[in-house]
Amino acid sequence: MGPDQVTSLVDCLEESLLDSLTTKLVGNRPNTYTFTKALAECWLKENKGDLPLVIVRPSIVLCSFSGPLKGWVDNWNGPTGIIAAAGKGLFRTMLCDPEKIADLVPVDMVINLMLVSAWRIGTTKTKDMPIPVYNCSTGQRKPITWKRFIDLCFKYMRKHPFSEVTWYPDGTVTASRTLNILNKYLLHWLPAYVLDSLVWMTGGKPIMVRIQDKLCKAATCLEYFTTHEWRFGDENVRTLSLTLGEKDKEEFNFDVAKIDWEQYVEDYVLGIRRFIFKEDVATIPKARRQVSRLYWVYRCLQVASVMCMWHFLTLRYTPLRQLWGNALRLLIHLARMLPFV
């Protein structure tokens, strides 16, 4: 079905009926977002006429690499909302294969590639030429795994913590759907309901469950991309770069090989802090003190949880209790054998 037919269906069908047809319309695509992007490309190919046309396909777009400012980001889309929530201590688990390549690309490099490709197609004879497609991605020339990306995010969210965090920024990812569901109930929903209950009993307005619902929906949209990886060919992007002079290469930089992921992720975290949360850099020392306190509370709770679980197990299972008793007696015996100093 072509883009015009899909548009006609959307215009004439009831929303409830359209919802029921969405799965069939989308087909094997992961969501309506990727489906409508494909429709847009089809429509352009069918209706471009004699206009020169070039298509730029970015992978997952994050903050700017250098322009207009390092780390500049102005929306919660994609991983940004999840990372921001994790930094606030609100999001702690996600379905993700940590060893898959996270094909992330800076927004300014995407824009620069669009500008240069438009210049190139506008100054080249395009009659009878296939429509050029440029993949703006990092997976081939500067790959980074989801594990490394997430580890770097937490590293710099602890170095430059956000203000007024709810809990210590920490978390885990897993490729197991079962384990992820268990983690969500234990780490997301249970604390959210407990906090909302306490707020409700004190006369406040509960919001944590609603926040978790939005975060879980956002994470679900990303799951397809965090559990798969692709190899996007970008040979023509490299060829396009060779047509530029040194000054233009610097001004319209789209060379992903220049990305230093360590520095880029630090800029990303600082960008979320500055442009999303509107927090001044002067508040970082205070935020660090708060996160430091939360760290020790977090560790103490972990130790207490392990001790409670162990106590429960030793009370319930006699062999385990006997094993624990024997181990303690052995330790006491060994301690008595040590020379008194």
Side-chain angles (χ1 to χ4, degrees), residues 32-67:
T32 54
Y33 173 71
T34 55
F35 175 64
T36 52
K37 289 181 75 172
L39 281 180
E41 287 190 12
C42 289
W43 189 91
L44 287 170
K45 290 175 183 178
E46 293 173 1
N47 296 276
K48 77 180 189 70
D50 294 329
L51 287 174
L53 175 65
V54 61
I55 294 172
V56 174
R57 294 174 180 166
S59 52
I60 301 174
V61 181
L62 294 187
C63 72
S64 63
F65 176 71
S66 59

PDB file of all heavy atoms in Angstrom, residues 32-67:
ATOM      1  N   THR A  32       5.273   2.588  14.347  1.00  0.00           N
ATOM      2  CA  THR A  32       4.726   3.510  13.343  1.00  0.00           C
ATOM      3  C   THR A  32       5.733   4.590  12.957  1.00  0.00           C
ATOM      4  O   THR A  32       5.651   5.152  11.868  1.00  0.00           O
ATOM      5  CB  THR A  32       3.449   4.178  13.877  1.00  0.00           C
ATOM      6  OG1 THR A  32       3.727   4.789  15.149  1.00  0.00           O
ATOM      7  CG2 THR A  32       2.336   3.157  14.056  1.00  0.00           C
ATOM      8  N   TYR A  33       6.670   4.871  13.844  1.00  0.00           N
ATOM      9  CA  TYR A  33       7.687   5.891  13.548  1.00  0.00           C
ATOM     10  C   TYR A  33       8.524   5.480  12.339  1.00  0.00           C
ATOM     11  O   TYR A  33       8.687   6.251  11.380  1.00  0.00           O
ATOM     12  CB  TYR A  33       8.565   6.093  14.785  1.00  0.00           C
ATOM     13  CG  TYR A  33       9.748   7.003  14.568  1.00  0.00           C
ATOM     14  CD1 TYR A  33       9.575   8.374  14.384  1.00  0.00           C
ATOM     15  CD2 TYR A  33      11.042   6.492  14.550  1.00  0.00           C
ATOM     16  CE1 TYR A  33      10.664   9.213  14.183  1.00  0.00           C
ATOM     17  CE2 TYR A  33      12.132   7.324  14.356  1.00  0.00           C
ATOM     18  CZ  TYR A  33      11.942   8.678  14.170  1.00  0.00           C
ATOM     19  OH  TYR A  33      13.015   9.504  13.971  1.00  0.00           O
ATOM     20  N   THR A  34       9.059   4.273  12.370  1.00  0.00           N
ATOM     21  CA  THR A  34       9.872   3.801  11.243  1.00  0.00           C
ATOM     22  C   THR A  34       9.007   3.596   9.997  1.00  0.00           C
ATOM     23  O   THR A  34       9.473   3.798   8.873  1.00  0.00           O
ATOM     24  CB  THR A  34      10.586   2.487  11.602  1.00  0.00           C
ATOM     25  OG1 THR A  34       9.617   1.529  12.045  1.00  0.00           O
ATOM     26  CG2 THR A  34      11.600   2.706  12.712  1.00  0.00           C
ATOM     27  N   PHE A  35       7.756   3.198  10.213  1.00  0.00           N
ATOM     28  CA  PHE A  35       6.844   2.986   9.086  1.00  0.00           C
ATOM     29  C   PHE A  35       6.568   4.294   8.346  1.00  0.00           C
ATOM     30  O   PHE A  35       6.625   4.361   7.110  1.00  0.00           O
ATOM     31  CB  PHE A  35       5.538   2.373   9.610  1.00  0.00           C
ATOM     32  CG  PHE A  35       4.465   2.224   8.564  1.00  0.00           C
ATOM     33  CD1 PHE A  35       4.647   1.380   7.478  1.00  0.00           C
ATOM     34  CD2 PHE A  35       3.272   2.917   8.674  1.00  0.00           C
ATOM     35  CE1 PHE A  35       3.654   1.233   6.512  1.00  0.00           C
ATOM     36  CE2 PHE A  35       2.281   2.781   7.720  1.00  0.00           C
ATOM     37  CZ  PHE A  35       2.473   1.942   6.637  1.00  0.00           C
ATOM     38  N   THR A  36       6.280   5.351   9.089  1.00  0.00           N
ATOM     39  CA  THR A  36       5.963   6.633   8.445  1.00  0.00           C
ATOM     40  C   THR A  36       7.196   7.258   7.789  1.00  0.00           C
ATOM     41  O   THR A  36       7.076   7.976   6.793  1.00  0.00           O
ATOM     42  CB  THR A  36       5.359   7.619   9.462  1.00  0.00           C
ATOM     43  OG1 THR A  36       6.210   7.710  10.615  1.00  0.00           O
ATOM     44  CG2 THR A  36       3.976   7.157   9.907  1.00  0.00           C
ATOM     45  N   LYS A  37       8.376   6.980   8.332  1.00  0.00           N
ATOM     46  CA  LYS A  37       9.591   7.461   7.668  1.00  0.00           C
ATOM     47  C   LYS A  37       9.758   6.778   6.309  1.00  0.00           C
ATOM     48  O   LYS A  37      10.136   7.417   5.315  1.00  0.00           O
ATOM     49  CB  LYS A  37      10.816   7.192   8.546  1.00  0.00           C
ATOM     50  CG  LYS A  37      10.890   8.082   9.781  1.00  0.00           C
ATOM     51  CD  LYS A  37      12.127   7.814  10.608  1.00  0.00           C
ATOM     52  CE  LYS A  37      13.353   8.399   9.970  1.00  0.00           C
ATOM     53  NZ  LYS A  37      14.538   8.315  10.851  1.00  0.00           N
ATOM     54  N   ALA A  38       9.464   5.484   6.276  1.00  0.00           N
ATOM     55  CA  ALA A  38       9.543   4.762   5.000  1.00  0.00           C
ATOM     56  C   ALA A  38       8.489   5.282   4.022  1.00  0.00           C
ATOM     57  O   ALA A  38       8.751   5.419   2.816  1.00  0.00           O
ATOM     58  CB  ALA A  38       9.357   3.266   5.240  1.00  0.00           C
ATOM     59  N   LEU A  39       7.297   5.582   4.536  1.00  0.00           N
ATOM     60  CA  LEU A  39       6.245   6.148   3.684  1.00  0.00           C
ATOM     61  C   LEU A  39       6.679   7.490   3.098  1.00  0.00           C
ATOM     62  O   LEU A  39       6.426   7.779   1.921  1.00  0.00           O
ATOM     63  CB  LEU A  39       4.957   6.342   4.491  1.00  0.00           C
ATOM     64  CG  LEU A  39       4.082   5.117   4.759  1.00  0.00           C
ATOM     65  CD1 LEU A  39       2.865   5.538   5.569  1.00  0.00           C
ATOM     66  CD2 LEU A  39       3.653   4.445   3.464  1.00  0.00           C
ATOM     67  N   ALA A  40       7.328   8.302   3.922  1.00  0.00           N
ATOM     68  CA  ALA A  40       7.780   9.617   3.458  1.00  0.00           C
ATOM     69  C   ALA A  40       8.784   9.472   2.317  1.00  0.00           C
ATOM     70  O   ALA A  40       8.727  10.211   1.319  1.00  0.00           O
ATOM     71  CB  ALA A  40       8.400  10.395   4.616  1.00  0.00           C
ATOM     72  N   GLU A  41       9.694   8.510   2.447  1.00  0.00           N
ATOM     73  CA  GLU A  41      10.665   8.281   1.373  1.00  0.00           C
ATOM     74  C   GLU A  41       9.967   7.844   0.086  1.00  0.00           C
ATOM     75  O   GLU A  41      10.302   8.313  -1.006  1.00  0.00           O
ATOM     76  CB  GLU A  41      11.690   7.233   1.807  1.00  0.00           C
ATOM     77  CG  GLU A  41      12.692   7.736   2.828  1.00  0.00           C
ATOM     78  CD  GLU A  41      13.833   6.753   3.047  1.00  0.00           C
ATOM     79  OE1 GLU A  41      13.958   5.798   2.246  1.00  0.00           O
ATOM     80  OE2 GLU A  41      14.606   6.940   4.007  1.00  0.00           O
ATOM     81  N   CYS A  42       8.993   6.955   0.228  1.00  0.00           N
ATOM     82  CA  CYS A  42       8.249   6.489  -0.955  1.00  0.00           C
ATOM     83  C   CYS A  42       7.522   7.648  -1.631  1.00  0.00           C
ATOM     84  O   CYS A  42       7.526   7.768  -2.866  1.00  0.00           O
ATOM     85  CB  CYS A  42       7.249   5.408  -0.553  1.00  0.00           C
ATOM     86  SG  CYS A  42       8.001   3.839  -0.106  1.00  0.00           S
ATOM     87  N   TRP A  43       6.903   8.492  -0.814  1.00  0.00           N
ATOM     88  CA  TRP A  43       6.147   9.616  -1.377  1.00  0.00           C
ATOM     89  C   TRP A  43       7.081  10.569  -2.127  1.00  0.00           C
ATOM     90  O   TRP A  43       6.756  11.049  -3.217  1.00  0.00           O
ATOM     91  CB  TRP A  43       5.419  10.365  -0.268  1.00  0.00           C
ATOM     92  CG  TRP A  43       4.459  11.394  -0.798  1.00  0.00           C
ATOM     93  CD1 TRP A  43       3.145  11.228  -1.096  1.00  0.00           C
ATOM     94  CD2 TRP A  43       4.780  12.756  -1.116  1.00  0.00           C
ATOM     95  NE1 TRP A  43       2.601  12.385  -1.577  1.00  0.00           N
ATOM     96  CE2 TRP A  43       3.584  13.355  -1.607  1.00  0.00           C
ATOM     97  CE3 TRP A  43       5.927  13.529  -1.040  1.00  0.00           C
ATOM     98  CZ2 TRP A  43       3.523  14.682  -2.010  1.00  0.00           C
ATOM     99  CZ3 TRP A  43       5.873  14.853  -1.446  1.00  0.00           C
ATOM    100  CH2 TRP A  43       4.682  15.417  -1.926  1.00  0.00           C
ATOM    101  N   LEU A  44       8.240  10.837  -1.552  1.00  0.00           N
ATOM    102  CA  LEU A  44       9.203  11.729  -2.206  1.00  0.00           C
ATOM    103  C   LEU A  44       9.677  11.151  -3.538  1.00  0.00           C
ATOM    104  O   LEU A  44       9.800  11.874  -4.535  1.00  0.00           O
ATOM    105  CB  LEU A  44      10.395  11.975  -1.283  1.00  0.00           C
ATOM    106  CG  LEU A  44      10.134  12.893  -0.081  1.00  0.00           C
ATOM    107  CD1 LEU A  44      11.315  12.855   0.876  1.00  0.00           C
ATOM    108  CD2 LEU A  44       9.875  14.319  -0.538  1.00  0.00           C
ATOM    109  N   LYS A  45       9.948   9.866  -3.553  1.00  0.00           N
ATOM    110  CA  LYS A  45      10.406   9.234  -4.794  1.00  0.00           C
ATOM    111  C   LYS A  45       9.341   9.312  -5.887  1.00  0.00           C
ATOM    112  O   LYS A  45       9.651   9.508  -7.060  1.00  0.00           O
ATOM    113  CB  LYS A  45      10.774   7.773  -4.523  1.00  0.00           C
ATOM    114  CG  LYS A  45      12.027   7.602  -3.678  1.00  0.00           C
ATOM    115  CD  LYS A  45      12.276   6.133  -3.352  1.00  0.00           C
ATOM    116  CE  LYS A  45      13.498   5.967  -2.451  1.00  0.00           C
ATOM    117  NZ  LYS A  45      13.723   4.551  -2.076  1.00  0.00           N
ATOM    118  N   GLU A  46       8.081   9.181  -5.480  1.00  0.00           N
ATOM    119  CA  GLU A  46       6.991   9.185  -6.454  1.00  0.00           C
ATOM    120  C   GLU A  46       6.637  10.589  -6.935  1.00  0.00           C
ATOM    121  O   GLU A  46       6.114  10.758  -8.040  1.00  0.00           O
ATOM    122  CB  GLU A  46       5.744   8.530  -5.841  1.00  0.00           C
ATOM    123  CG  GLU A  46       5.898   7.038  -5.571  1.00  0.00           C
ATOM    124  CD  GLU A  46       4.708   6.471  -4.808  1.00  0.00           C
ATOM    125  OE1 GLU A  46       3.763   7.257  -4.517  1.00  0.00           O
ATOM    126  OE2 GLU A  46       4.719   5.270  -4.491  1.00  0.00           O
ATOM    127  N   ASN A  47       6.905  11.595  -6.120  1.00  0.00           N
ATOM    128  CA  ASN A  47       6.410  12.937  -6.423  1.00  0.00           C
ATOM    129  C   ASN A  47       7.498  13.993  -6.608  1.00  0.00           C
ATOM    130  O   ASN A  47       7.183  15.177  -6.732  1.00  0.00           O
ATOM    131  CB  ASN A  47       5.464  13.400  -5.298  1.00  0.00           C
ATOM    132  CG  ASN A  47       4.225  12.546  -5.191  1.00  0.00           C
ATOM    133  OD1 ASN A  47       3.246  12.754  -5.896  1.00  0.00           O
ATOM    134  ND2 ASN A  47       4.261  11.559  -4.299  1.00  0.00           N
ATOM    135  N   LYS A  48       8.744  13.599  -6.635  1.00  0.00           N
ATOM    136  CA  LYS A  48       9.810  14.589  -6.720  1.00  0.00           C
ATOM    137  C   LYS A  48       9.878  15.276  -8.080  1.00  0.00           C
ATOM    138  O   LYS A  48      10.394  16.389  -8.203  1.00  0.00           O
ATOM    139  CB  LYS A  48      11.157  13.941  -6.394  1.00  0.00           C
ATOM    140  CG  LYS A  48      11.753  13.092  -7.511  1.00  0.00           C
ATOM    141  CD  LYS A  48      13.073  12.501  -7.093  1.00  0.00           C
ATOM    142  CE  LYS A  48      13.788  11.841  -8.263  1.00  0.00           C
ATOM    143  NZ  LYS A  48      14.282  12.826  -9.252  1.00  0.00           N
ATOM    144  N   GLY A  49       9.364  14.627  -9.104  1.00  0.00           N
ATOM    145  CA  GLY A  49       9.431  15.223 -10.435  1.00  0.00           C
ATOM    146  C   GLY A  49      10.871  15.408 -10.881  1.00  0.00           C
ATOM    147  O   GLY A  49      11.685  14.489 -10.796  1.00  0.00           O
ATOM    148  N   ASP A  50      11.200  16.631 -11.324  1.00  0.00           N
ATOM    149  CA  ASP A  50      12.563  16.919 -11.781  1.00  0.00           C
ATOM    150  C   ASP A  50      13.451  17.494 -10.683  1.00  0.00           C
ATOM    151  O   ASP A  50      14.604  17.851 -10.933  1.00  0.00           O
ATOM    152  CB  ASP A  50      12.516  17.916 -12.952  1.00  0.00           C
ATOM    153  CG  ASP A  50      11.853  17.301 -14.184  1.00  0.00           C
ATOM    154  OD1 ASP A  50      11.987  16.072 -14.356  1.00  0.00           O
ATOM    155  OD2 ASP A  50      11.200  18.042 -14.941  1.00  0.00           O
ATOM    156  N   LEU A  51      12.904  17.594  -9.476  1.00  0.00           N
ATOM    157  CA  LEU A  51      13.704  18.143  -8.379  1.00  0.00           C
ATOM    158  C   LEU A  51      14.793  17.155  -7.971  1.00  0.00           C
ATOM    159  O   LEU A  51      14.540  15.952  -7.876  1.00  0.00           O
ATOM    160  CB  LEU A  51      12.819  18.438  -7.165  1.00  0.00           C
ATOM    161  CG  LEU A  51      11.892  19.647  -7.250  1.00  0.00           C
ATOM    162  CD1 LEU A  51      10.994  19.692  -6.020  1.00  0.00           C
ATOM    163  CD2 LEU A  51      12.702  20.935  -7.350  1.00  0.00           C
ATOM    164  N   PRO A  52      15.996  17.644  -7.731  1.00  0.00           N
ATOM    165  CA  PRO A  52      17.046  16.747  -7.212  1.00  0.00           C
ATOM    166  C   PRO A  52      16.691  16.305  -5.798  1.00  0.00           C
ATOM    167  O   PRO A  52      16.244  17.110  -4.978  1.00  0.00           O
ATOM    168  CB  PRO A  52      18.306  17.613  -7.243  1.00  0.00           C
ATOM    169  CG  PRO A  52      17.813  19.018  -7.210  1.00  0.00           C
ATOM    170  CD  PRO A  52      16.487  19.025  -7.921  1.00  0.00           C
ATOM    171  N   LEU A  53      16.877  15.042  -5.526  1.00  0.00           N
ATOM    172  CA  LEU A  53      16.484  14.488  -4.227  1.00  0.00           C
ATOM    173  C   LEU A  53      17.619  13.656  -3.653  1.00  0.00           C
ATOM    174  O   LEU A  53      18.252  12.868  -4.360  1.00  0.00           O
ATOM    175  CB  LEU A  53      15.234  13.610  -4.379  1.00  0.00           C
ATOM    176  CG  LEU A  53      14.758  12.862  -3.123  1.00  0.00           C
ATOM    177  CD1 LEU A  53      14.302  13.834  -2.046  1.00  0.00           C
ATOM    178  CD2 LEU A  53      13.632  11.889  -3.479  1.00  0.00           C
ATOM    179  N   VAL A  54      17.873  13.849  -2.373  1.00  0.00           N
ATOM    180  CA  VAL A  54      18.845  13.033  -1.654  1.00  0.00           C
ATOM    181  C   VAL A  54      18.222  12.650  -0.313  1.00  0.00           C
ATOM    182  O   VAL A  54      17.464  13.426   0.277  1.00  0.00           O
ATOM    183  CB  VAL A  54      20.178  13.788  -1.447  1.00  0.00           C
ATOM    184  CG1 VAL A  54      19.972  15.056  -0.634  1.00  0.00           C
ATOM    185  CG2 VAL A  54      21.206  12.897  -0.771  1.00  0.00           C
ATOM    186  N   ILE A  55      18.514  11.460   0.147  1.00  0.00           N
ATOM    187  CA  ILE A  55      17.948  10.960   1.402  1.00  0.00           C
ATOM    188  C   ILE A  55      19.080  10.725   2.398  1.00  0.00           C
ATOM    189  O   ILE A  55      20.076  10.073   2.081  1.00  0.00           O
ATOM    190  CB  ILE A  55      17.166   9.656   1.173  1.00  0.00           C
ATOM    191  CG1 ILE A  55      15.930   9.932   0.297  1.00  0.00           C
ATOM    192  CG2 ILE A  55      16.744   9.025   2.498  1.00  0.00           C
ATOM    193  CD1 ILE A  55      15.197   8.682  -0.139  1.00  0.00           C
ATOM    194  N   VAL A  56      18.918  11.279   3.591  1.00  0.00           N
ATOM    195  CA  VAL A  56      19.867  11.054   4.687  1.00  0.00           C
ATOM    196  C   VAL A  56      19.136  10.283   5.781  1.00  0.00           C
ATOM    197  O   VAL A  56      18.090  10.716   6.263  1.00  0.00           O
ATOM    198  CB  VAL A  56      20.412  12.382   5.249  1.00  0.00           C
ATOM    199  CG1 VAL A  56      21.286  12.125   6.475  1.00  0.00           C
ATOM    200  CG2 VAL A  56      21.211  13.118   4.183  1.00  0.00           C
ATOM    201  N   ARG A  57      19.686   9.144   6.140  1.00  0.00           N
ATOM    202  CA  ARG A  57      19.069   8.295   7.164  1.00  0.00           C
ATOM    203  C   ARG A  57      19.967   8.244   8.403  1.00  0.00           C
ATOM    204  O   ARG A  57      20.969   7.534   8.416  1.00  0.00           O
ATOM    205  CB  ARG A  57      18.865   6.877   6.630  1.00  0.00           C
ATOM    206  CG  ARG A  57      17.866   6.769   5.490  1.00  0.00           C
ATOM    207  CD  ARG A  57      17.853   5.359   4.937  1.00  0.00           C
ATOM    208  NE  ARG A  57      16.899   5.201   3.844  1.00  0.00           N
ATOM    209  CZ  ARG A  57      16.885   4.165   3.013  1.00  0.00           C
ATOM    210  NH1 ARG A  57      17.795   3.199   3.144  1.00  0.00           N
ATOM    211  NH2 ARG A  57      15.985   4.095   2.047  1.00  0.00           N
ATOM    212  N   PRO A  58      19.619   8.976   9.440  1.00  0.00           N
ATOM    213  CA  PRO A  58      20.417   8.902  10.671  1.00  0.00           C
ATOM    214  C   PRO A  58      20.014   7.701  11.512  1.00  0.00           C
ATOM    215  O   PRO A  58      18.881   7.211  11.422  1.00  0.00           O
ATOM    216  CB  PRO A  58      20.067  10.211  11.385  1.00  0.00           C
ATOM    217  CG  PRO A  58      18.672  10.509  10.931  1.00  0.00           C
ATOM    218  CD  PRO A  58      18.562   9.990   9.520  1.00  0.00           C
ATOM    219  N   SER A  59      20.938   7.236  12.332  1.00  0.00           N
ATOM    220  CA  SER A  59      20.594   6.193  13.300  1.00  0.00           C
ATOM    221  C   SER A  59      19.978   6.873  14.526  1.00  0.00           C
ATOM    222  O   SER A  59      19.189   7.795  14.375  1.00  0.00           O
ATOM    223  CB  SER A  59      21.836   5.361  13.645  1.00  0.00           C
ATOM    224  OG  SER A  59      22.909   6.196  14.042  1.00  0.00           O
ATOM    225  N   ILE A  60      20.329   6.475  15.727  1.00  0.00           N
ATOM    226  CA  ILE A  60      19.733   7.075  16.931  1.00  0.00           C
ATOM    227  C   ILE A  60      20.439   8.402  17.217  1.00  0.00           C
ATOM    228  O   ILE A  60      21.641   8.433  17.485  1.00  0.00           O
ATOM    229  CB  ILE A  60      19.862   6.120  18.132  1.00  0.00           C
ATOM    230  CG1 ILE A  60      19.159   4.796  17.823  1.00  0.00           C
ATOM    231  CG2 ILE A  60      19.268   6.755  19.383  1.00  0.00           C
ATOM    232  CD1 ILE A  60      19.345   3.729  18.884  1.00  0.00           C
ATOM    233  N   VAL A  61      19.679   9.483  17.169  1.00  0.00           N
ATOM    234  CA  VAL A  61      20.258  10.826  17.263  1.00  0.00           C
ATOM    235  C   VAL A  61      20.333  11.280  18.721  1.00  0.00           C
ATOM    236  O   VAL A  61      19.335  11.231  19.453  1.00  0.00           O
ATOM    237  CB  VAL A  61      19.435  11.832  16.433  1.00  0.00           C
ATOM    238  CG1 VAL A  61      20.053  13.221  16.522  1.00  0.00           C
ATOM    239  CG2 VAL A  61      19.345  11.375  14.982  1.00  0.00           C
ATOM    240  N   LEU A  62      21.528  11.731  19.106  1.00  0.00           N
ATOM    241  CA  LEU A  62      21.736  12.258  20.461  1.00  0.00           C
ATOM    242  C   LEU A  62      22.165  13.723  20.380  1.00  0.00           C
ATOM    243  O   LEU A  62      21.966  14.386  19.372  1.00  0.00           O
ATOM    244  CB  LEU A  62      22.789  11.426  21.193  1.00  0.00           C
ATOM    245  CG  LEU A  62      22.429   9.974  21.519  1.00  0.00           C
ATOM    246  CD1 LEU A  62      23.516   9.353  22.389  1.00  0.00           C
ATOM    247  CD2 LEU A  62      21.086   9.862  22.208  1.00  0.00           C
ATOM    248  N   CYS A  63      22.778  14.201  21.437  1.00  0.00           N
ATOM    249  CA  CYS A  63      23.149  15.613  21.548  1.00  0.00           C
ATOM    250  C   CYS A  63      24.216  15.993  20.523  1.00  0.00           C
ATOM    251  O   CYS A  63      24.788  15.145  19.842  1.00  0.00           O
ATOM    252  CB  CYS A  63      23.661  15.901  22.961  1.00  0.00           C
ATOM    253  SG  CYS A  63      25.297  15.194  23.287  1.00  0.00           S
ATOM    254  N   SER A  64      24.485  17.276  20.449  1.00  0.00           N
ATOM    255  CA  SER A  64      25.461  17.773  19.478  1.00  0.00           C
ATOM    256  C   SER A  64      26.885  17.418  19.898  1.00  0.00           C
ATOM    257  O   SER A  64      27.202  17.315  21.085  1.00  0.00           O
ATOM    258  CB  SER A  64      25.327  19.288  19.327  1.00  0.00           C
ATOM    259  OG  SER A  64      25.616  19.934  20.545  1.00  0.00           O
ATOM    260  N   PHE A  65      27.715  17.252  18.889  1.00  0.00           N
ATOM    261  CA  PHE A  65      29.135  16.963  19.106  1.00  0.00           C
ATOM    262  C   PHE A  65      29.909  18.251  19.388  1.00  0.00           C
ATOM    263  O   PHE A  65      30.742  18.304  20.282  1.00  0.00           O
ATOM    264  CB  PHE A  65      29.696  16.254  17.870  1.00  0.00           C
ATOM    265  CG  PHE A  65      31.168  15.974  17.918  1.00  0.00           C
ATOM    266  CD1 PHE A  65      31.672  15.004  18.765  1.00  0.00           C
ATOM    267  CD2 PHE A  65      32.051  16.677  17.113  1.00  0.00           C
ATOM    268  CE1 PHE A  65      33.039  14.739  18.812  1.00  0.00           C
ATOM    269  CE2 PHE A  65      33.411  16.419  17.144  1.00  0.00           C
ATOM    270  CZ  PHE A  65      33.908  15.447  18.001  1.00  0.00           C
ATOM    271  N   SER A  66      29.589  19.291  18.614  1.00  0.00           N
ATOM    272  CA  SER A  66      30.300  20.555  18.819  1.00  0.00           C
ATOM    273  C   SER A  66      29.427  21.789  18.609  1.00  0.00           C
ATOM    274  O   SER A  66      29.720  22.841  19.174  1.00  0.00           O
ATOM    275  CB  SER A  66      31.510  20.639  17.876  1.00  0.00           C
ATOM    276  OG  SER A  66      31.101  20.548  16.520  1.00  0.00           O
ATOM    277  N   GLY A  67      28.397  21.701  17.786  1.00  0.00           N
ATOM    278  CA  GLY A  67      27.630  22.902  17.501  1.00  0.00           C
ATOM    279  C   GLY A  67      26.127  22.685  17.634  1.00  0.00           C
ATOM    280  O   GLY A  67      25.629  21.584  17.397  1.00  0.00           O
TER     281      GLY A  67
END
